[in-house]
Amino acid sequence: MNSYIVKSILAVAVVAMAASCKPEFDTVAPSKGSADFTRYIALGNSLTSGFADGGLYLEGQQNSFPGMIAEQMKAVGGGSFATPYFSAAQANGTGYAKLTGFTATGSPIITKETGNLAVTGQTTVPGVGAVTLYAKYTGDINNYGVPGVKLVHARYPGYAAVNGLYERLLTGAYGTNNTTYLDFATSKPWTFFSMWLGNNDILGYASAGGDGAANAPTPKSTFTTEYNAVVAKLVSTGAKGVVATIPDVLSTPYFTTVTLATLKAAVPAAPAFYIKTGAGVTRAATANDLFTLTLSSDNVIGGASALGPYGLAPTNPIESKYVLDPEEVAVVKDYVTVYNNTIRTVANANGLALVDAYTILNEYSAGKKVNGVSVSAAYIRGNLFSLDGIHLTPMGYAIVANEFISAINTKYGSSISTVDVSKYRGVKYP
C-alpha cells in the first residue's frame, strides 16, 4: 500500500469520524405548553422581592427570581414584568449589610449601608412598635414580593399600617388605605402566578430563638385555612400557577455558622457557655443547641457585667433570643413539616406546579456544582446565602428561578429556558 493510498484512507477515515462525531442538537421549539404567561404576577415575601444582605435594595430587586423567570417567559408569550424598584437616588432602600474586609484572624468585617435610603420617616403603632415608612412607588407591578409578609397577613385588612414596605406600594397617605395584600395583588387581571408565602409564619419564631409571644408560629389550622383561601383566589379566574414549599431554615448559615465548637474556639479558656432555654431554665450549652448568627454580629459574648461575663457565667447566660434549644428546634421542624404537607396537598388539589424548595435548597446547601460553580450553605464563601445568613445571593436566586422554571415546564409542558446561574454573583467581596 503506497503512501498515497494510506493518506487517502486516513483522509476518508477522518472525514467519516468527523461526520460520525458531529454533535447533534435537539432543537426545542419555544412553547408555552398549556399555560398562558401573558401577565405573570408573583406573590411572596422577602424571597420573592429580592431581599438580601439584611435589606431590600435596588440591586437585590433587580436580581429577584420572579424577574429572572419573567425574562425567560418572554420567549414563550410572556409579557412585560414590573418590579417596584427603588429610584436610583434611593437605591439603597432599607439599607443593607456590606462585607468590607476581614480581621487578622479571618473574621468578616460587616458594616451597614446607610446612605441613599428610601426611608421617609417612622411612626409608632400601639402594640406593634416603630414602623419605618418609605418613599411611595407608583407604577405597574407584577412582583408583589413584600418583605415580612406572612401567609396569615394576606387577607388581613390594615396590614399596610404595620409594614412600611407594603404601605409604599399603596395609594394614599399612611393609614388611609386598608386594601388587603391579596386584593392588591389581584386587583388587575392575571394569567399566571407564582406564590411563595408561608416562610415567615415560622421564620419569625426561629430567627428570634423562639423568644417572644409576637413571634409565635401561625397555628397549623389557620395556615391550612389561609393557604386554601389564597390559592382559591389565584385560581378563580382559571389561571395556572406554581407554588413552593418552605425551606429548611435550620440548615441556613443563620443557624449553622455559630456553634458551641466555634464559641469554644473563640474563647478556649471558658470552661462552659451558659444559655437560658425557651422554658426559662439556665444550663450549660450543648452541641444540640442552635445559636443564631446575630450572637456573633452583636458581639456580646464575654461582655462585662455585674452578673458576670456574658454567656460564660450561669448568672449571666446567653439570652433565649440567641439560641434554639432542642425543644424549640423540634417545634420548628414540626411546623415546617405540617405547613409543607398543606402546601403539597393544596397544590395537588388545584393542579398547580410545585417547587419543593425544602428539599432542593437542602441539596444545594450540602454542596453542589452549578454550571461549574460550587455552591453550599457555607457562610460567605458558599455563594448561596447572602450576608444575613437566611436570604439568597443573586446566584442563589438564579438557582431558585431555574427550579421554578423546571417545575413549570414539567407541569404545563412549556419549554421556558433556564437562566445561566454563573452570570450571577455570590457574596460581594470588597
Side-chain angles (χ1 to χ4, degrees), residues 11-355:
V12 170
V14 169
V15 170
M17 288 179 63
S20 64
C21 294
K22 185 177 181 180
E24 296 181 357
F25 296 99
D26 293 330
T27 301
V28 179
S31 171
K32 65 179 183 179
S34 61
D36 179 356
F37 304 116
T38 304
R39 185 166 188 269
Y40 161 45
I41 60 173
L43 284 74
N45 48 46
S46 48
L47 293 170
T48 295
S49 71
F51 191 101
D53 302 318
L56 184 65
Y57 59 106
L58 182 58
E59 188 204 354
Q61 293 178 305
Q62 292 169 332
N63 289 297
S64 73
F65 81 85
M68 298 179 196
I69 295 172
E71 188 63 28
Q72 302 305 99
M73 282 180 173
K74 290 180 179 176
V76 292
S80 60
F81 187 85
T83 299
Y85 289 142
F86 292 114
S87 68
Q90 300 169 332
N92 294 327
T94 64
Y96 61 94
K98 296 191 304 183
L99 179 64
T100 56
F102 293 89
T103 67
T105 58
S107 296
I109 301 172
I110 296 174
T111 60
K112 184 82 172 178
E113 175 58 66
T114 58
N116 298 329
L117 304 185
V119 176
T120 59
Q122 199 171 72
T123 189
T124 300
V125 177
V128 175
V131 175
T132 302
L133 303 178
Y134 299 92
K136 289 281 190 176
Y137 170 84
T138 58
D140 290 336
I141 300 178
N142 294 78
N143 186 339
Y144 291 92
V146 172
V149 68
K150 298 180 180 180
L151 171 67
V152 75
H153 294 146
R155 299 193 301 153
Y156 176 67
Y159 177 61
V162 298
N163 186 331
L165 289 172
Y166 174 47
E167 196 274 339
R168 72 180 278 264
L169 307 181
L170 301 180
T171 59
Y174 171 81
T176 64
N177 194 329
N178 289 324
T179 305
T180 70
Y181 172 75
L182 182 59
D183 285 344
F184 179 62
T186 57
S187 59
K188 294 181 179 180
W190 68 99
T191 63
F192 193 85
F193 67 88
S194 64
M195 197 272 275
W196 199 7
L197 284 169
N199 308 42
N200 286 335
D201 294 74
I202 184 63
L203 179 62
Y205 174 86
S207 61
D211 193 44
N215 299 313
T218 297
K220 299 165 188 172
S221 60
T222 303
F223 188 96
T224 299
T225 299
E226 294 302 314
Y227 206 88
N228 273 288
V230 171
V231 168
K233 175 71 174 181
L234 292 171
V235 301
S236 62
T237 62
K240 294 181 170 59
V242 56
V243 298
T245 59
I246 296 169
D248 178 11
V249 63
L250 301 179
S251 69
T252 66
Y254 190 83
F255 284 109
T256 60
T257 302
V258 181
T259 65
L260 182 58
T262 62
L263 291 175
K264 287 181 175 178
V267 192
F273 292 84
Y274 295 91
I275 69 164
K276 177 162 283 189
T277 69
V281 175
T282 296
R283 61 165 171 78
T286 75
N288 294 323
D289 298 314
L290 300 184
F291 298 97
T292 67
L293 190 60
T294 51
L295 177 61
S296 173
S297 59
D298 286 356
N299 195 28
V300 291
I301 290 293
S305 166
L307 299 174
Y310 187 88
L312 307 182
T315 50
N316 193 15
I318 296 170
E319 297 160 88
S320 177
K321 67 179 182 180
Y322 289 124
V323 58
L324 282 176
D325 60 57
E327 289 73 24
E328 293 167 326
V329 168
V331 169
V332 174
K333 289 182 176 179
D334 176 47
Y335 274 80
V336 170
T337 297
V338 173
Y339 289 173
N340 281 341
N341 286 341
T342 293
I343 292 170
R344 293 187 186 96
T345 299
V346 177
N348 289 335
N350 289 276
L352 300 176
L354 175 68
V355 177

